[in-house]
Amino acid sequence: MAQPAPVGKSPATWGVVTVLLAVAVIGTLWVPLYARSMPELGPFPFFYWYQFIWVPMSAVLLWICYLLLRTKRS
């Protein structure tokens, strides 16, 4: 049995998804932003807690992208 073709998403939706994914990637890979030790949060320097904060933030951003791109099954 043939599957119906998925409904395409608007270019605006793809633009939002692209920006959200770019924020997650650039936020973790732009080294001058977090290459320092101060301020500290307890015994952890800035580098460590900055990276740990990005783990749940990236998960939330990916979840939003998933919700924007998912298609309803009939």
Side-chain angles (χ1 to χ4, degrees), residues 13 21 23-24 34-36 47 49 52 54-55 57-58 60 65-66 68:
T13 303
L21 293 176
V23 165
Y34 60 82
R36 57 182 181 216
F47 168 79
W49 58 267
F52 284 136
W54 272 103
V55 173
M57 284 178 49
S58 296
V60 169
C65 291
Y66 166 75
L68 289 172

Side-chain angles (χ1 to χ4, degrees), residues 5-49:
V7 178
K9 297 293 180 178
S10 71
T13 303
W14 283 106
V16 170
V17 168
T18 302
V19 168
L20 291 175
L21 293 176
V23 165
V25 170
I26 292 170
T28 56
L29 294 180
W30 189 22
V31 177
L33 186 63
Y34 60 82
R36 57 182 181 216
S37 60
M38 296 300 287
E40 292 182 352
L41 183 63
F44 298 105
F46 179 74
F47 168 79
Y48 290 110
W49 58 267

Side-chain angles (χ1 to χ4, degrees), residues 6 51 66-67:
Q51 292 293 323
Y66 166 75
L67 291 177

